[in-house]
Amino acid sequence: MDLGELKKSASSAIDGVREELVRLAKDIHENPELAFEEYKASNWLCSFLEKEGFLVKRKVAGMDTDFLASFSVKEGGPTIAVLAEYDALPGVGHACGHNIIGTSAAGAGVGVKKALEMSGIPGRVLVLGTPAEEGGGGKVLMVKAGIFKDVDAALMMHPTSGTSRIGGRSLATHSFQFDYYGKAAHAAGSPTEGINALDAVNIFFHAVACLRQHVPEDVRMHGMVTKGGDAVNIIPDHTQVRYLVRSYSQKTLKKVCERVKDCARAGALATGCKLEIQEADGYKARVPNKVLSDLFRANLAMLGEEVMGDIVDGKGSTDFGDVSREVPACNAYIKIAPEGVAGHSVEFREASISERAEEALILSAKAMAFTALDLMADSSLLLKAKEEFLKARQD
Ligand SMILES: [Zn+2]
Ligand SMILES: [Zn+2]
């Protein structure tokens, strides 16, 4: 059976479950669930995949709402994972369109399964349920749990506005909480007795403002004061800042974080405050893969979608970045709204349930299934993707 026939059978299998996928996307949209609490969405997706003949395991990485659905007819061959997200945002619901991500992944799984059944070629398709992209990072936990150890490549779609494209780098993040401790005193009566923890914050923000000129352009440094004092007539004795640093490069991120900590220390030193620093790694920077990107783009084009020619860097951060440092990975962004509609907005939430979102769901499911089949049919492609991956992930 040639590759064209395989893709045709995948495509008609996806068309066959179109109504169900669209219904599922609507149900998930109407029942927004936050990070790690996506009980309904993950259950619905698991039930659908079980009904379609997948072997479904839940809580494979210790989260209530993660899952791993697998299918193969013959041992051996590559394992291609299609990633599902399904968490919503606080307040605005599915304003990032993850209802489409979860359902398109399930659709892609159904398509590949059909092609494997028809042809009997070796290979395994996984649909991975990855909770909490918007906060908590389910994929980070899945990487830590070793879920990607047997995976050869990972694919995912994300809805977007403007023209469809293949995602390039995303920003790595590192977060801080700075607590300054000074000494309270009457602000007018006895200021000489006080140690001003808000002054320390001022100096910290000013020091970072000076630092901005001397860091690479991709670096982002931003934060907020979460405690600024208790009363206007008391010298603040405790202040708190939450801060985030981002870069495309893990190495740059590490260096800049050291300098940001020095800025924080400057505030403490200048004022005589005590400083406590808490910090945590966030999502890693996404490593694009040209081999996978070219395949994914060609399949989207074959399905009639207009796609940008290049791999396009994004200024956000995603836990898909962590996956892209474990295995060759490709994250396509598929248009569901016109240029200018911002993600995480009410408009984007409405777009995630539009007719165009339905089209994007089916289109993405097919393009991901086709890309998985390309990789299963020609092992040299995966070898090339892996060579590129090993070189590229070093930064
Ligand atoms: Zn989002
Ligand atoms: Zn998102």
Side-chain angles (χ1 to χ4, degrees):
M1 206 170 178
D2 79 351
L3 186 57
E5 292 295 317
L6 288 182
K7 289 186 180 179
K8 245 187 228 164
S9 63
S11 178
S12 56
I14 292 165
D15 286 333
V17 290
R18 180 183 179 121
E19 304 263 293
E20 276 177 89
L21 292 172
V22 168
R23 182 71 253 161
L24 213 47
K26 282 191 175 145
D27 286 344
I28 295 172
H29 194 271
E30 280 164 18
N31 293 274
E33 299 167 297
L34 299 183
F36 300 120
E37 295 170 4
E38 314 94 329
Y39 297 103
K40 287 179 186 164
S42 61
N43 266 327
W44 288 333
L45 289 166
C46 284
S47 302
F48 171 78
L49 288 161
E50 271 162 357
K51 175 188 74 69
E52 289 297 321
F54 281 76
L55 179 68
V56 180
K57 291 184 192 158
R58 297 160 196 240
K59 304 184 189 178
V60 288
M63 292 167 275
D64 280 349
T65 54
D66 75 48
F67 66 85
L68 183 155
S70 66
F71 180 83
S72 65
V73 281
K74 203 184 259 176
E75 291 283 300
T79 295
I80 311 298
V82 189
L83 272 48
E85 292 178 359
Y86 30 80
D87 60 324
L89 290 153
V92 279
H94 272 287
C96 209
H98 293 186
N99 59 316
I100 302 299
I101 303 179
T103 44
S104 67
V110 168
V112 178
K113 174 177 176 280
K114 185 71 187 174
L116 291 178
E117 282 171 337
M118 300 276 290
S119 64
I121 58 168
R124 193 162 63 121
V125 60
L126 302 183
V127 181
L128 289 181
T130 69
E133 194 281 329
E134 297 289 2
K139 294 183 199 66
V140 180
L141 298 172
M142 292 183 93
V143 166
K144 282 188 183 147
I147 302 298
F148 290 91
K149 287 226 160 28
D150 301 325
V151 172
D152 293 292
L155 306 170
M156 194 177 85
M157 71 80 76
H158 196 294
T160 191
S161 43
T163 311
S164 295
R165 61 190 180 277
I166 303 295
R169 297 174 297 173
S170 64
L171 295 166
T173 61
H174 192 84
S175 66
F176 292 100
Q177 181 179 310
F178 299 113
D179 283 277
Y180 290 103
Y181 295 95
K183 190 172 164 234
H186 194 291
S190 49
T192 50
E193 299 301 314
I195 298 175
N196 194 324
L198 189 59
D199 284 349
V201 171
N202 273 319
I203 289 163
F204 166 60
F205 271 82
H206 188 67
V208 177
C210 293
L211 176 61
R212 278 184 211 284
Q213 191 187 351
H214 307 286
V215 294
E217 280 184 26
D218 60 290
V219 171
R220 295 287 187 272
M221 301 181 284
H222 51 96
M224 61 180 179
V225 181
T226 42
K227 188 171 192 313
D230 294 314
V232 70
N233 57 358
I234 306 173
I235 300 287
D237 66 344
H238 174 215
T239 54
Q240 185 181 77
V241 171
R242 297 236 173 104
Y243 219 77
L244 210 53
V245 183
R246 311 192 198 216
S247 169
Y248 284 137
S249 153
Q250 299 292 142
K251 283 180 194 156
T252 304
L253 183 70
K254 210 167 171 225
K255 275 190 211 157
V256 173
C257 282
E258 285 310 311
R259 298 200 64 182
V260 167
K261 278 193 270 187
D262 280 342
C263 292
R265 289 180 190 117
L269 185 66
T271 55
C273 284
K274 206 168 118 300
L275 169 65
E276 272 176 19
I277 302 175
Q278 293 176 58
E279 57 187 303
D281 281 331
Y283 296 160
K284 293 202 171 101
R286 186 173 53 208
V287 182
N289 188 281
K290 193 172 173 325
V291 175
L292 296 187
S293 298
D294 287 348
L295 292 173
F296 207 145
R297 187 188 301 103
N299 283 315
L300 284 165
M302 196 173 79
L303 289 158
E305 181 69 357
E306 186 197 347
V307 193
M308 285 186 201
D310 295 329
I311 296 175
V312 186
D313 291 339
K315 281 286 188 291
S317 304
T318 165
D319 58 2
F320 194 84
D322 292 66
V323 173
S324 75
R325 284 166 184 272
E326 291 297 305
V327 294
C330 183
N331 193 177
Y333 287 78
I334 308 299
K335 173 189 175 162
I336 61 162
E339 185 78 56
V341 175
H344 293 197
S345 67
V346 172
E347 292 75 19
F348 201 85
R349 180 186 69 201
E350 297 315 308
S352 302
I353 203 66
S354 62
E355 257 177 51
R356 171 60 208 179
E358 286 179 24
E359 268 175 53
L361 190 179
I362 299 303
L363 169 81
S364 309
K366 289 182 180 178
M368 289 192 287
F370 292 1
T371 306
L373 291 170
D374 285 331
L375 295 169
M376 288 175 179
D378 180 354
S379 57
S380 73
L381 291 170
L382 207 48
L383 277 177
K384 274 187 220 150
K386 282 185 180 173
E387 262 171 40
E388 183 191 341
F389 162 78
L390 290 172
K391 274 187 217 148
R393 75 162 173 181
Q394 283 161 10
D395 183 31

